[in-house]
Amino acid sequence: MAYVNSNEFAANTFDAIVIGSGISGGWAAKELCDKGLKTLVLERGKDIVHLKDYPTATKNPWDFPHRGQLPLTVKQENPITGRCYAFSEATEHFFVKDKEHPYVQDKPFDWIRGYQVGGKSLLWARQTQRWSKFDFEGPARDGFAVDWPIRYNDIAPWYTHVEQFAGISGNRDGLETLPDGDFLPPWEMNVVEKEIQKRIMAHYKDRDVIIGRCAHLTKPKEIHLQQGRGQCQARSLCERGCPFGGYFSSNSSTLPWAAKTGKLTLRPDSVVHSIIYDEKKQKAVGVRVIDAHTNKAIEYFAKVIFVNAAALNSNLILLNSTSNRFPNGLGNDHGLLGKYIAFHNYRGSMSASFDGPMDSYYYGRRPTAVMMPNFRNVHKQETDFLRGYMTFYTATRPGWGHFTEGEQVGAAFKDAIAEPGPWGIYMMMQGETIPKENNFVSLSKDQKDKWGIPQLRISVDYDDNDEKLLKDFLVQGAEMLDKAGCKNIATNDSKQAPGLDIHEVGGIRMGRDPKTSMLNEWNQLHNCPNVFVTDGACMTSTGTQNPSLTFMALTARAANYAADTLKRGGL
């Protein structure tokens, strides 16, 4: 559609447009607004206002009709979303339902989504680790992906920038494989976790066991109080939305901060159809939106556009942004768009028992686990598979009221259920997968959603490298637990489809060469530099760490670069 009303055109014109309001979109909005840019944030889902729109945040188990469990009908209607650990009677309003937003699975893929203001920042697991120099250097050294156009030193100041504002708890461990950050006080390991840590590190000289790092305010600083946030209460009800602002989300942190500048316009219920490319100006000039309720097409205009719709949706938007100049998708001269999708391999886990002290327990529900940075193929190629995996473990005791053997009545039974049960250990992997051309997404030629946008086709799968890496974890994990004195060790391959890790990345990857990558070192499209992509779609490789902190840092870095370039008359 074309605007003939100049007043309407002016009202729909901004300095910058951000597509998506999740973790990276919120950061783009904050940084651009802080730099004085009039910024429009487009969110396809409903509005969620911090504090006001967390309907289950303070409910007790008995306040739910099914005590938090989903009715069978809901499970049957949502076989994909229902596999997510956080999907429950208390959180289902924050999840995309299977029938409402269909997609095409050329290969099994569990696409977990949250369409609302804040996106999955309301639902994420909040684990935040920096990448190391080995992660940015790995592709160039091992040849498993194109070379990253940046190195650790390029992003390190931006890690610090986002850590200080978001609030990351952790210990300064001095590890080369997992650099320290600007941390709040760490959470503490319990007595059994410390014992296992001591035994593993005594036996293996290349394996460092540390307390996890997470986006929770253990001791808020002034910058967090200015955001209106408070201390984490260790409730482990985070995916309901935190009324304390104890964990980082767009809703409690970056979006309200951006709004206070007076530069933010937030438009929910705005399904982005495509980015508008002007053939004469040879640049993107705006974004075409379909109103979620009226199906009316609306166009918004800006000098710079940030694409932060989450990895696969960002691919969808660019694939659907066609023009005479870019008939195969915006910036897609070499057919790379949508290819080299990667994810994290979560299939391996194990359980064990531990004869720990029965007079010891722990406080609250800690929001992080004990973790071990990757120790495979760090300095050089050492195994018959590429890359490696992070390892996480926890030691817990069943709560009061656990099942006990013997008589189920009487004084002895009452005494027994008043005590916690024996110590149990759970260990899991987070494995790096290799970006491959045959792991890709594309647009369906014949199936569209209810707004007339082609559905996404997903063709992503494991390969032999993933199977070898999984096998190595199961062997090494069991050996480590055995050396630590654990018993009854049982290993498990969940055989879950890709996607349930919710760490999918790639498709619009960064790189040095426009012939082998979509984005440059500042996250700009090589062939359309006023469009930036800074969510998971931009990632060249996955690393073994949780990705969200890197999304945040890349976004802050790119947004500041974009704002400064605009002020100099560029873009």
Side-chain angles (χ1 to χ4, degrees), residues 464-518:
D464 185 58
N465 195 78
D466 301 318
E467 299 294 340
K468 289 179 178 179
L469 186 146
L470 167 65
K471 182 178 179 181
D472 188 77
F473 164 75
L474 293 176
V475 171
Q476 293 299 315
E479 181 183 284
M480 286 189 286
L481 292 180
D482 179 65
K483 299 296 183 185
C486 298
K487 300 178 180 178
N488 303 311
I489 300 167
T491 61
N492 178 58
D493 174 5
S494 69
K495 299 188 184 299
Q496 65 191 51
L500 198 56
D501 52 287
I502 324 180
H503 287 178
E504 60 269 11
V505 301
I508 317 175
R509 68 181 180 184
M510 299 173 71
R512 300 181 185 276
D513 185 349
K515 293 181 180 179
T516 58
S517 62
M518 294 289 296

Coordinates of all heavy atoms in Angstrom, one line a residue, residues 464-518:
D464 N 25.9 -37.6 12.4 CA 26.8 -38.5 13.1 C 27.6 -37.9 14.1 O 27.9 -38.5 15.2 CB 27.7 -39.2 12.0 CG 28.6 -40.3 12.6 OD1 28.0 -41.2 13.2 OD2 29.8 -40.1 12.4
N465 N 28.0 -36.6 13.9 CA 28.8 -35.9 14.9 C 28.0 -35.7 16.2 O 28.6 -35.9 17.3 CB 29.2 -34.5 14.4 CG 30.3 -33.8 15.2 OD1 31.5 -34.2 15.0 ND2 29.9 -32.9 16.1
D466 N 26.7 -35.4 16.1 CA 25.9 -35.3 17.3 C 25.8 -36.6 18.1 O 25.8 -36.6 19.3 CB 24.5 -34.8 16.9 CG 24.5 -33.5 16.2 OD1 25.3 -32.6 16.6 OD2 23.8 -33.3 15.2
E467 N 25.7 -37.7 17.4 CA 25.6 -39.0 18.0 C 26.9 -39.4 18.7 O 26.9 -39.9 19.8 CB 25.3 -40.1 17.0 CG 23.9 -39.9 16.2 CD 22.7 -40.0 17.1 OE1 22.9 -40.7 18.2 OE2 21.6 -39.6 16.7
K468 N 28.0 -39.1 18.1 CA 29.3 -39.4 18.8 C 29.5 -38.5 20.0 O 30.0 -39.0 21.0 CB 30.5 -39.1 17.8 CG 30.5 -40.1 16.6 CD 31.7 -39.8 15.7 CE 31.8 -40.8 14.6 NZ 32.9 -40.5 13.7
L469 N 29.1 -37.2 19.9 CA 29.2 -36.3 21.0 C 28.3 -36.8 22.2 O 28.8 -36.8 23.3 CB 28.8 -34.9 20.6 CG 29.0 -33.7 21.5 CD1 29.4 -32.5 20.7 CD2 27.7 -33.5 22.3
L470 N 27.1 -37.2 21.9 CA 26.2 -37.7 22.9 C 26.8 -38.9 23.6 O 26.8 -39.0 24.8 CB 24.9 -38.1 22.2 CG 23.9 -38.9 23.0 CD1 23.4 -38.2 24.2 CD2 22.7 -39.4 22.2
K471 N 27.3 -39.9 22.8 CA 27.9 -41.1 23.4 C 29.1 -40.7 24.3 O 29.2 -41.3 25.4 CB 28.4 -42.0 22.2 CG 29.0 -43.3 22.7 CD 29.4 -44.2 21.5 CE 30.0 -45.5 22.0 NZ 30.5 -46.4 20.9
D472 N 29.9 -39.8 23.9 CA 31.0 -39.4 24.7 C 30.5 -38.8 26.1 O 31.1 -39.1 27.1 CB 31.9 -38.3 24.0 CG 33.1 -38.0 24.8 OD1 34.1 -38.8 24.7 OD2 33.2 -36.9 25.4
F473 N 29.5 -38.0 26.0 CA 29.0 -37.4 27.3 C 28.5 -38.5 28.2 O 28.7 -38.5 29.4 CB 27.8 -36.4 27.0 CG 27.0 -36.1 28.3 CD1 27.5 -35.3 29.3 CD2 25.8 -36.7 28.5 CE1 26.8 -35.1 30.4 CE2 25.0 -36.5 29.6 CZ 25.6 -35.7 30.6
L474 N 27.7 -39.5 27.6 CA 27.1 -40.5 28.5 C 28.2 -41.4 29.1 O 28.1 -41.8 30.3 CB 26.2 -41.4 27.6 CG 24.9 -40.7 27.1 CD1 24.2 -41.7 26.2 CD2 24.1 -40.3 28.3
V475 N 29.3 -41.6 28.4 CA 30.5 -42.4 29.0 C 31.2 -41.5 30.0 O 31.5 -42.0 31.1 CB 31.4 -42.8 27.9 CG1 32.7 -43.4 28.4 CG2 30.7 -43.8 26.9
Q476 N 31.5 -40.3 29.6 CA 32.3 -39.4 30.5 C 31.5 -39.0 31.7 O 32.0 -39.0 32.9 CB 32.8 -38.2 29.8 CG 33.8 -38.5 28.7 CD 35.1 -39.1 29.2 OE1 35.6 -38.7 30.2 NE2 35.6 -40.2 28.6
G477 N 30.2 -38.7 31.5 CA 29.4 -38.3 32.7 C 29.3 -39.4 33.7 O 29.4 -39.2 34.9
A478 N 29.0 -40.7 33.2 CA 28.9 -41.8 34.1 C 30.2 -42.0 34.9 O 30.3 -42.4 36.1 CB 28.5 -43.0 33.4
E479 N 31.3 -41.9 34.1 CA 32.7 -42.1 34.8 C 32.9 -41.0 35.8 O 33.4 -41.3 36.9 CB 33.7 -42.0 33.7 CG 35.2 -42.2 34.3 CD 36.2 -42.0 33.2 OE1 36.4 -43.0 32.4 OE2 36.9 -41.0 33.2
M480 N 32.5 -39.8 35.6 CA 32.7 -38.7 36.5 C 31.9 -38.9 37.8 O 32.4 -38.8 38.9 CB 32.4 -37.3 35.9 CG 33.4 -36.8 34.9 SD 33.2 -35.1 34.4 CE 31.8 -35.3 33.3
L481 N 30.6 -39.3 37.6 CA 29.8 -39.6 38.8 C 30.3 -40.8 39.6 O 30.3 -40.8 40.8 CB 28.4 -39.9 38.3 CG 27.6 -38.7 37.8 CD1 26.2 -39.1 37.4 CD2 27.6 -37.5 38.7
D482 N 30.9 -41.8 38.9 CA 31.4 -42.9 39.6 C 32.7 -42.5 40.4 O 32.8 -42.9 41.6 CB 31.8 -44.0 38.6 CG 32.5 -45.2 39.2 OD1 31.8 -45.9 40.0 OD2 33.7 -45.4 39.0
K483 N 33.6 -41.7 39.8 CA 34.7 -41.2 40.5 C 34.4 -40.3 41.7 O 35.1 -40.2 42.7 CB 35.6 -40.4 39.5 CG 36.2 -41.2 38.4 CD 37.1 -42.4 38.8 CE 37.7 -43.1 37.6 NZ 38.5 -44.3 38.0
A484 N 33.2 -39.7 41.6 CA 32.7 -38.8 42.7 C 32.0 -39.6 43.8 O 31.6 -39.0 44.8 CB 31.8 -37.8 42.1
G485 N 31.9 -40.9 43.6 CA 31.3 -41.7 44.7 C 29.8 -41.9 44.6 O 29.2 -42.4 45.5
C486 N 29.2 -41.6 43.4 CA 27.8 -41.8 43.2 C 27.5 -43.3 43.0 O 28.4 -44.0 42.5 CB 27.3 -41.0 42.1 SG 27.5 -39.2 42.3
K487 N 26.3 -43.7 43.2 CA 25.8 -45.1 43.0 C 24.6 -45.1 42.2 O 23.9 -44.1 41.9 CB 25.6 -45.7 44.4 CG 26.8 -45.8 45.3 CD 26.5 -46.4 46.6 CE 27.7 -46.5 47.5 NZ 27.4 -47.1 48.9
N488 N 24.2 -46.3 41.7 CA 23.0 -46.5 40.9 C 22.9 -45.5 39.7 O 21.9 -44.9 39.5 CB 21.8 -46.3 41.8 CG 21.8 -47.2 43.0 OD1 22.0 -48.4 42.9 ND2 21.6 -46.6 44.2
I489 N 24.0 -45.4 39.0 CA 24.1 -44.5 37.9 C 23.3 -45.0 36.7 O 23.5 -46.2 36.3 CB 25.6 -44.2 37.5 CG1 26.4 -43.7 38.7 CG2 25.7 -43.3 36.3 CD1 27.9 -43.7 38.5
A490 N 22.4 -44.2 36.2 CA 21.6 -44.6 35.0 C 21.7 -43.5 34.0 O 21.4 -42.4 34.2 CB 20.1 -44.8 35.5
T491 N 22.0 -43.9 32.8 CA 22.2 -43.0 31.7 C 20.9 -43.0 30.8 O 20.2 -44.0 30.8 CB 23.4 -43.3 30.8 OG1 23.2 -44.6 30.2 CG2 24.7 -43.2 31.6
N492 N 20.7 -41.8 30.1 CA 19.4 -41.7 29.3 C 19.7 -40.9 28.1 O 20.3 -39.9 28.1 CB 18.3 -41.1 30.1 CG 17.0 -40.9 29.4 OD1 16.5 -41.9 28.9 ND2 16.6 -39.7 29.2
D493 N 19.2 -41.4 26.9 CA 19.1 -40.6 25.7 C 17.6 -40.4 25.5 O 16.8 -41.3 25.2 CB 19.7 -41.4 24.5 CG 19.5 -40.8 23.2 OD1 19.0 -39.6 23.1 OD2 19.8 -41.4 22.2
S494 N 17.2 -39.1 25.6 CA 15.8 -38.7 25.5 C 15.3 -38.9 24.0 O 14.1 -39.0 23.8 CB 15.6 -37.3 25.9 OG 16.2 -36.4 25.0
K495 N 16.2 -38.9 23.1 CA 15.9 -39.0 21.6 C 14.9 -37.8 21.2 O 14.2 -38.0 20.2 CB 15.3 -40.3 21.3 CG 16.3 -41.5 21.6 CD 15.7 -42.8 21.0 CE 16.6 -44.0 21.4 NZ 18.0 -43.8 20.8
Q496 N 14.9 -36.8 22.0 CA 14.0 -35.6 21.6 C 14.4 -35.0 20.3 O 15.6 -35.0 19.9 CB 14.0 -34.6 22.8 CG 15.4 -33.9 22.9 CD 15.4 -33.1 24.2 OE1 15.1 -33.5 25.3 NE2 15.8 -31.8 24.1
A497 N 13.4 -34.5 19.6 CA 13.7 -33.8 18.4 C 14.5 -32.5 18.6 O 14.4 -31.9 19.7 CB 12.4 -33.5 17.6
P498 N 15.2 -32.0 17.6 CA 15.8 -30.7 17.7 C 14.7 -29.6 18.0 O 13.5 -29.9 17.6 CB 16.4 -30.4 16.4 CG 16.7 -31.8 15.8 CD 15.6 -32.7 16.4
G499 N 15.0 -28.6 18.6 CA 14.1 -27.5 18.9 C 13.7 -27.4 20.4 O 13.5 -26.3 20.9
L500 N 13.6 -28.6 21.0 CA 13.1 -28.5 22.4 C 14.2 -27.9 23.3 O 13.9 -27.5 24.4 CB 12.8 -29.9 22.9 CG 11.9 -30.1 24.1 CD1 10.6 -29.3 24.0 CD2 11.7 -31.5 24.5
D501 N 15.4 -27.8 22.8 CA 16.5 -27.1 23.6 C 16.1 -25.6 23.6 O 16.6 -24.8 24.4 CB 17.8 -27.3 22.9 CG 17.8 -27.0 21.4 OD1 17.2 -27.8 20.6 OD2 18.3 -26.0 21.0
I502 N 15.4 -25.1 22.6 CA 14.9 -23.7 22.5 C 16.2 -22.8 22.3 O 16.2 -21.6 22.7 CB 14.1 -23.2 23.7 CG1 13.1 -24.3 24.1 CG2 13.2 -22.0 23.3 CD1 12.2 -24.0 25.3
H503 N 17.2 -23.3 21.7 CA 18.5 -22.5 21.5 C 18.8 -22.5 20.0 O 20.0 -22.5 19.6 CB 19.6 -23.1 22.2 CG 19.6 -22.9 23.7 ND1 20.5 -23.4 24.6 CD2 18.7 -22.2 24.5 CE1 20.2 -23.0 25.8 NE2 19.1 -22.3 25.8
E504 N 17.8 -22.6 19.1 CA 18.1 -22.6 17.7 C 18.7 -21.3 17.2 O 18.3 -20.2 17.7 CB 16.8 -22.9 16.9 CG 15.7 -21.9 17.0 CD 14.7 -22.2 18.1 OE1 15.0 -23.2 18.9 OE2 13.7 -21.6 18.2
V505 N 19.7 -21.4 16.4 CA 20.4 -20.2 15.9 C 20.8 -20.4 14.4 O 20.7 -21.5 13.9 CB 21.7 -20.0 16.7 CG1 21.5 -19.8 18.2 CG2 22.7 -21.1 16.5
G506 N 21.2 -19.3 13.8 CA 21.7 -19.3 12.4 C 20.7 -19.0 11.4 O 19.5 -18.6 11.7
G507 N 21.1 -19.2 10.1 CA 20.3 -18.8 9.0 C 20.6 -17.5 8.4 O 20.4 -17.2 7.2
I508 N 21.0 -16.5 9.2 CA 21.4 -15.2 8.8 C 22.8 -14.9 9.4 O 23.0 -13.9 10.1 CB 20.4 -14.1 9.2 CG1 18.9 -14.7 8.9 CG2 20.6 -12.8 8.4 CD1 17.8 -13.7 9.4
R509 N 23.7 -15.8 9.2 CA 24.9 -15.8 10.0 C 25.9 -14.6 9.7 O 25.9 -14.1 8.5 CB 25.7 -17.1 9.8 CG 26.2 -17.4 8.4 CD 26.9 -18.7 8.4 NE 27.5 -19.0 7.1 CZ 28.1 -20.2 6.8 NH1 28.1 -21.2 7.7 NH2 28.6 -20.4 5.6
M510 N 26.7 -14.3 10.7 CA 27.7 -13.3 10.5 C 28.9 -13.9 9.8 O 29.1 -15.1 9.9 CB 28.2 -12.8 11.9 CG 27.1 -12.0 12.7 SD 27.6 -11.6 14.3 CE 28.8 -10.3 14.0
G511 N 29.8 -13.1 9.2 CA 31.0 -13.6 8.6 C 31.8 -12.5 7.9 O 31.3 -11.3 7.9
R512 N 32.9 -12.8 7.5 CA 33.8 -11.8 6.8 C 33.5 -11.6 5.4 O 33.7 -10.5 4.8 CB 35.3 -12.2 7.0 CG 35.7 -12.3 8.5 CD 37.2 -12.7 8.6 NE 37.5 -12.9 10.0 CZ 37.9 -12.0 10.9 NH1 37.9 -10.7 10.5 NH2 38.2 -12.3 12.1
D513 N 33.1 -12.7 4.7 CA 32.9 -12.7 3.3 C 31.4 -12.7 2.9 O 30.7 -13.6 3.3 CB 33.6 -14.0 2.7 CG 33.6 -14.0 1.2 OD1 32.9 -13.2 0.5 OD2 34.3 -14.9 0.6
P514 N 31.0 -11.7 2.1 CA 29.6 -11.6 1.7 C 29.1 -12.8 0.9 O 27.9 -13.1 0.8 CB 29.5 -10.4 0.8 CG 30.6 -9.5 1.3 CD 31.7 -10.5 1.6
K515 N 30.1 -13.6 0.3 CA 29.7 -14.8 -0.5 C 29.4 -16.0 0.4 O 28.8 -16.9 0.0 CB 30.9 -15.1 -1.4 CG 31.1 -14.1 -2.5 CD 32.2 -14.5 -3.4 CE 32.4 -13.5 -4.5 NZ 33.6 -13.9 -5.5
T516 N 29.8 -15.9 1.7 CA 29.6 -17.1 2.6 C 28.9 -16.7 3.8 O 28.7 -17.5 4.7 CB 31.0 -17.7 3.0 OG1 31.8 -16.7 3.6 CG2 31.7 -18.3 1.7
S517 N 28.4 -15.5 3.9 CA 27.7 -15.0 5.1 C 26.7 -13.9 4.8 O 26.8 -13.3 3.7 CB 28.7 -14.5 6.2 OG 29.4 -13.4 5.7
M518 N 25.8 -13.7 5.7 CA 24.7 -12.7 5.4 C 25.0 -11.3 6.1 O 24.6 -10.3 5.6 CB 23.4 -13.2 6.0 CG 22.8 -14.4 5.2 SD 22.2 -14.0 3.6 CE 20.9 -12.9 3.9

